[in-house]
Amino acid sequence: MSSDYEFRKFPENFKWGVSTAAYQIEGAVHEDGRGQSIWDTFSHAPGNTARGDNGDVATDHYHRFREDVALIRGLGVGSYRFSVAWPRIQPEGHGPANLRGLDFYQRLVDELLGAGVEPWLTLYHWDLPQALEERGGWRSRDTAERFADYAALVHDALSDRVTWWTTLNEPYCSAFLGLATGEHAPGAREGHGALAAAHHLMVGHGLAVQAMRAQRRGEEKFGITLNLSDVRPASADPADRSAAERLDLLQNRAFTDPILGGTWPSLERQVWSEISDFGFRAPDDLALIRQPLDFLGVNFYCPSYTKFAPTAEPDPEFRSAADIDAQNVPPAELPRTAMGWPVEPSALTRLLCRLKDEYRELPPIYITENGAAFRDVIDSTGAVLDPERIEFIDAHVGETQDAMAKGVDVRGYFCWSLLDNFEWSYGYAKRFGLVYVDYDDLRRIPKASYYWYRDMMRAHRPDAP
Ligand code: FCB
């Protein structure tokens, strides 16, 4: 192992896993009654994704899931985090379940259980039924209610076999990349609309947890996954410091304060009062949003070094919720991944310690995504050697242990991702997998990091020599 980190074993019940998401891997977008999602629409519109890539075929996991489960089994992880495509279950976003769509996830779950792998199910990883978008999408409270209905349908069908239930993956991206910067589906640049979406995503989360708890069968656990960043000012300049506070609001506090702390973030009125009256909030929403959670999923990739940079559109009517005069400028000395994201593993420990210090009733944490894209190639022997990915994961696993040693209750680590896949607006150009996918013939080739991850997990088991 390449580790510079002190080798310590993890507790016996620490969960090791690997993550994926429906639209990024499944393909088969017209099969078995699946409806259209906002990502189908967005990726098919010119100019939205690199090279015009879309998820029509992706890694063809829908047809190859047995092969993929065999890869998961070979990897030796105990848990597999995947998402259910809402438009497979409710093609129009409402009404009874489409049984053929549900059946795919029944087969997947059975295959996982048969392989001794625990399913970790996410209900929403960004693929909103297009029909709901046409009625306002997350800007509308109705979508939150539809989401709770959908959650109850899936839970009813699978809770006899699935224990771990995540409502949303990264509502920050759905609200602010989808509706403020426009980088993600549905690709809008709005002020009030994006803030309303952030709110309704959280309301949807609260309603879904309530609906699933009400029909709880056994030991199910309910949580949410947030992508959080260690946000810091790029310098001691007061302008950079306040820019960092605004970015922290946008990336972290807009979600962590209501969901974990039961408060609205103190800075929100100051930053957003010109673009929104927050009229979408109903009196009991805070209590609804702050459901008791069995776990918090944290997705972590990189820190944000923030500089004051006037980006705000002067006319509030045209300003997006992400126009906050703050820019992320990572220090030049930090290495970068193929995404251009700075690599600074210690930022993970800082982030986890901060969560522990700021939120008194913090649920147990699972790192539900961490990983990196690098320029992987098949070498002349047919192997894919990816030492940078190994180093990246190794360092973040080490930092996870540091956070645990500092008293943060972290109970699991999931690597993003099992397979190279459709990396949203970057298309297939960015490879995050432990397994390489050859997009010419969809062959799967485990990378060196796959074997390393397997051996690393084994070595960390309490009973390992
Ligand atoms: C996260 C997403 C995931 C993947 C990784 C790289 O924000 O949840 O789908 O794209 O980033």
Side-chain angles (χ1 to χ4, degrees):
M1 232 174 299
S2 68
S3 188
D4 292 334
Y5 288 81
E6 185 194 339
F7 186 81
R8 284 169 289 189
K9 291 200 173 173
F10 278 85
E12 187 161 3
N13 54 3
F14 191 84
K15 285 188 197 297
W16 291 102
V18 70
S19 294
T20 64
Y23 189 72
Q24 294 181 275
I25 62 168
E26 286 179 359
V29 290
H30 301 297
E31 251 161 272
D32 295 330
R34 177 186 178 277
Q36 190 173 331
S37 85
I38 55 173
W39 269 97
D40 297 301
T41 313
F42 182 79
S43 62
H44 278 268
N48 284 338
T49 63
R51 298 180 313 199
D53 288 349
N54 60 59
D56 287 2
V57 177
T59 71
D60 196 34
H61 170 78
Y62 196 78
H63 300 118
R64 296 170 195 241
F65 72 93
R66 293 210 160 83
E67 182 186 347
D68 292 339
V69 172
L71 284 166
I72 298 168
R73 177 186 210 154
L75 186 58
V77 288
S79 305
Y80 173 56
R81 174 175 178 260
F82 64 97
S83 79
V84 173
W86 187 350
R88 288 197 193 280
I89 309 302
Q90 292 178 305
E92 299 292 313
H94 63 87
N98 164 34
L99 296 181
R100 287 183 298 158
L102 209 43
D103 194 51
F104 170 69
Y105 298 102
Q106 310 260 19
R107 285 182 277 135
L108 173 63
V109 164
D110 288 343
E111 191 76 13
L112 288 165
L113 293 173
V117 177
E118 179 179 61
W120 184 294
L121 187 154
T122 299
L123 287 158
Y124 186 74
H125 200 126
W126 309 350
D127 40 3
L128 184 72
Q130 179 65 29
L132 291 182
E133 176 60 23
E134 273 147 34
R135 303 207 323 245
W138 289 109
R139 303 169 194 83
S140 155
R141 194 176 184 98
D142 183 62
T143 297
E145 283 159 19
R146 298 290 68 76
F147 178 65
D149 292 349
Y150 154 69
L153 284 179
V154 180
H155 178 266
D156 185 50
L158 291 171
S159 56
D160 57 339
R161 283 157 290 164
V162 176
T163 302
W164 299 87
W165 292 82
T166 303
T167 53
L168 306 175
N169 176 70
E170 305 188 353
Y172 162 81
C173 296
S174 304
F176 296 129
L177 300 189
L179 293 164
T181 70
E183 291 161 74
H184 279 187
R189 286 187 45 82
E190 298 175 17
H192 180 78
L195 296 173
H199 182 69
H200 294 135
L201 280 151
M202 292 191 280
V203 168
H205 155 75
L207 290 171
V209 169
Q210 281 185 338
M212 293 190 287
R213 277 222 170 97
Q215 59 184 27
R216 192 160 179 255
R217 279 200 169 105
E219 294 302 306
E220 297 102 284
K221 311 274 186 220
F222 303 104
I224 187 169
T225 278
L226 303 176
N227 56 321
L228 301 174
S229 183
D230 176 54
V231 180
R232 28 188 35 221
S235 80
D237 184 331
D240 289 349
R241 284 178 186 275
S242 50
E245 282 177 17
R246 291 192 297 276
L247 196 69
D248 186 41
L249 166 70
L250 185 77
Q251 294 199 328
N252 300 322
R253 283 192 184 281
F255 301 95
T256 52
D257 281 0
I259 293 169
L260 305 174
T263 59
W264 304 123
S266 53
L267 214 58
E268 63 174 16
R269 300 273 163 178
Q270 194 185 316
V271 175
W272 287 317
S273 60
E274 282 188 311
I275 60 168
S276 179
D277 61 1
F278 294 86
F280 40 74
R281 285 184 184 160
D284 296 330
D285 281 356
L286 206 46
L288 179 59
I289 289 169
R290 194 202 193 184
Q291 293 298 312
L293 296 181
D294 300 309
F295 65 91
L296 171 68
V298 172
N299 291 355
F300 179 81
Y301 289 93
C302 58
S304 305
Y305 283 83
T306 322
K307 191 164 119 31
F308 169 73
T311 53
E313 157 69 46
D315 184 347
E317 205 187 322
F318 300 109
R319 196 179 301 159
S320 96
D323 286 340
I324 54 169
D325 293 337
Q327 212 186 342
N328 187 359
V329 280
E333 63 273 18
L334 291 179
R336 307 278 182 109
T337 69
M339 298 291 282
W341 296 346
V343 180
E344 193 184 25
S346 56
L348 173 60
T349 300
R350 286 199 301 267
L351 169 71
L352 294 171
C353 289
R354 175 184 168 193
L355 284 171
K356 168 176 162 284
D357 293 343
E358 282 190 11
Y359 300 103
R360 289 174 49 206
E361 287 161 46
L362 192 67
I365 291 178
Y366 292 82
I367 309 296
T368 39
E369 284 181 27
N370 177 244
F374 290 106
R375 288 175 193 84
D376 304 318
V377 287
I378 308 177
D379 72 15
S380 56
T381 69
V384 181
L385 302 182
D386 54 346
E388 291 167 299
R389 180 170 295 102
I390 292 174
E391 201 182 315
F392 183 99
I393 299 172
D394 191 28
H396 286 82
V397 166
E399 291 293 331
T400 302
Q401 286 196 311
D402 273 4
M404 292 163 75
K406 290 183 171 138
V408 187
D409 185 7
V410 187
R411 305 211 185 158
Y413 176 95
F414 291 66
C415 176
W416 182 271
S417 179
L418 171 66
L419 302 167
D420 292 340
N421 58 48
F422 175 74
E423 178 48 36
W424 308 111
S425 53
Y426 296 87
Y428 296 99
K430 304 294 178 204
R431 296 178 175 274
F432 276 89
L434 296 174
V435 175
Y436 184 94
V437 176
D438 183 334
Y439 291 110
D440 289 336
D441 55 11
L442 296 168
R443 211 161 30 114
R444 275 83 162 128
I445 306 166
K447 302 178 191 174
S449 57
Y450 173 94
Y451 300 108
W452 171 84
Y453 195 59
R454 179 193 66 189
D455 296 344
M456 181 272 294
M457 286 182 289
R458 276 189 196 148
H460 276 105
R461 276 198 204 121
D463 57 357

